[in-house]
Amino acid sequence: MKIVYMGTPDFAVGPLEALRKAGFEIAAAVTQPDKPKGRGKAVQMPPVKEKALEYGIPVYQPRRVKDSEFTAVLHSIAPDVIVVAAFGQLLSGEILRIPRYGCLNIHASLLPRYRGAAPIQWAVINGEEKTGVTIMQMDEGLDTGDMLLKEEVAIAPDETGGSLHDKLSALGADLIVQALNRLEKGELIPVPQTGESCYASMLEKSMGKIDWNRPAAEIERLIRGMDPWPSAYSRLQGKMIKIWKAVVEPDSCPDLYPGQICAVTKHDFSVKTGSGLLRVTCLQPEGKKRMDADAFLRGYPLTEGLCFKD
């Protein structure tokens, strides 16, 4: 089975590795163009490109995958199937019709829940108890195609966007190998998506700004969902503070306002919210690395009543 693999970020690397290990012919990898990143704005290759080049797989980076010139390239490759994992562009109807087995997408949710760009993080932020991976037959809609395989994963109480990302990437790698093996044998039965749907919009840095008027439980999930990117943050005495870990506790500071600090110890400190307290155990001051709260407090002594600004 000849495969064209379309993917861009770290999530898509595991499935690419699994397909190669399973012995499938990967005729080409298609990924987003290189982009400048970091403070120095050095141009970096997408993770899928790095891995494909390591394997000696030809790489294509069209700015618009729907352009006729690139569509002609796909026709010339004549893949049996196109596998898509977090590619970042929508495919045209013409591209969907090129492979004899169509185009299969590795989507990191239990469809039809969490269609869209950031299903992993939103599942954590919204307090879901489970999520998973769906292998679906792509159509021209946004994650609306028939489902071929689906498997659930429990979301741990301390799950972060990063830890769940890794679990689902590994699961997606396993499921896509299963799907392609069964596809060749004619063993997969497409199942239309039914039931309640929701959209997982792309994350932006501004979404990490903490609103201390929200309940502590909501803020704690935001912190975990935004880890490692874009992070949950607030400002204290004019300086940006990223908060990486916190514990929800009952309110023991009824006279304070949301955002005010209370219950400072040698090891951590608590912040009043709209409902309950948030005990901060790991954070990152502006211009510094992540650190435990006790290390922070040794250099930045806090007093009750200081206020975070959202």
Side-chain angles (χ1 to χ4, degrees):
M1 180 182 284
K2 184 192 293 185
I3 298 170
V4 166
Y5 187 81
M6 295 185 175
T8 299
D10 289 326
F11 178 84
V13 172
L16 176 61
E17 292 176 315
L19 291 171
R20 184 176 181 275
K21 185 177 180 181
F24 288 100
E25 176 189 356
I26 304 173
V30 184
T31 188
Q32 297 280 54
D34 299 351
K35 293 182 179 180
K37 290 186 177 180
R39 292 183 179 180
K41 297 298 180 183
V43 175
Q44 295 185 15
M45 296 184 292
V48 163
K49 178 180 179 179
E50 292 183 2
K51 184 58 63 175
L53 292 177
E54 179 185 324
Y55 291 151
I57 299 170
V59 175
Y60 296 89
Q61 295 177 278
R63 293 196 175 278
R64 292 186 74 256
V65 73
K66 296 179 180 180
D67 285 348
S68 58
E69 290 182 3
F70 185 69
T71 302
V73 170
L74 290 176
H75 277 289
S76 68
I77 296 172
D80 296 308
V81 65
I82 292 176
V83 174
V84 180
F87 173 49
Q89 296 187 45
L90 293 176
L91 308 188
S92 66
E94 181 179 358
I95 291 175
L96 295 174
R97 292 188 291 271
I98 291 174
R100 63 187 178 119
Y101 290 117
C103 301
L104 272 58
N105 183 39
I106 306 168
H107 188 74
S109 81
L110 300 173
L111 290 172
R113 298 281 294 169
Y114 295 104
R115 294 170 177 159
I120 298 172
Q121 295 86 350
W122 283 112
V124 175
I125 292 168
N126 290 341
E128 300 288 353
E129 295 182 353
K130 65 181 180 180
T131 184
V133 170
T134 305
I135 306 296
M136 67 168 212
Q137 190 86 51
M138 296 178 69
D139 59 18
E140 293 188 61
L142 179 62
D143 301 326
T144 56
D146 289 348
M147 300 178 294
L148 302 175
L149 284 178
K150 182 189 289 190
E151 188 166 326
E152 294 182 358
V153 168
I155 297 178
D158 61 348
E159 200 82 71
T160 66
S163 64
L164 187 57
H165 167 282
D166 294 346
K167 289 179 183 179
L168 296 184
S169 178
L171 177 57
D174 179 62
L175 286 185
I176 192 61
V177 171
Q178 290 184 43
L180 293 183
N181 284 327
R182 293 175 62 182
L183 191 65
E184 282 190 300
K185 298 175 183 177
E187 296 177 353
L188 291 180
I189 300 175
V191 177
Q193 296 185 34
T194 58
E196 183 181 356
S197 177
C198 62
Y199 178 64
S201 62
M202 184 178 298
L203 296 181
E204 298 178 1
K205 288 186 178 180
S206 61
M207 294 177 177
K209 184 170 68 173
I210 296 173
D211 178 358
W212 295 103
N213 292 295
R214 305 301 302 169
E218 287 186 17
I219 298 173
E220 190 271 340
R221 294 198 305 265
L222 178 73
I223 291 167
R224 290 189 287 110
M226 294 288 182
D227 182 354
W229 192 91
S231 76
Y233 61 89
S234 190
R235 303 190 75 86
L236 182 65
Q237 295 182 307
K239 298 291 186 179
M240 177 78 72
I241 301 286
K242 294 181 179 180
I243 298 180
W244 293 113
K245 291 182 181 179
V247 179
V248 177
E249 294 189 335
D251 191 350
S252 59
C253 304
D255 297 329
L256 297 184
Y257 297 99
Q260 286 189 291
I261 292 172
C262 64
V264 180
T265 74
K266 291 182 179 180
H267 305 291
D268 49 39
F269 61 92
S270 298
V271 185
K272 172 90 169 185
T273 74
S275 176
L277 300 180
L278 206 60
R279 179 163 56 86
V280 177
T281 61
C282 183
L283 68 162
Q284 184 174 353
E286 187 172 319
K288 304 291 184 179
K289 296 181 179 181
R290 286 194 193 199
M291 61 181 70
D292 290 337
D294 58 355
F296 171 79
L297 289 167
R298 286 196 294 269
Y300 300 84
L302 300 179
T303 57
E304 183 177 315
L306 283 177
C307 191
F308 278 94
K309 305 292 185 181
D310 58 10

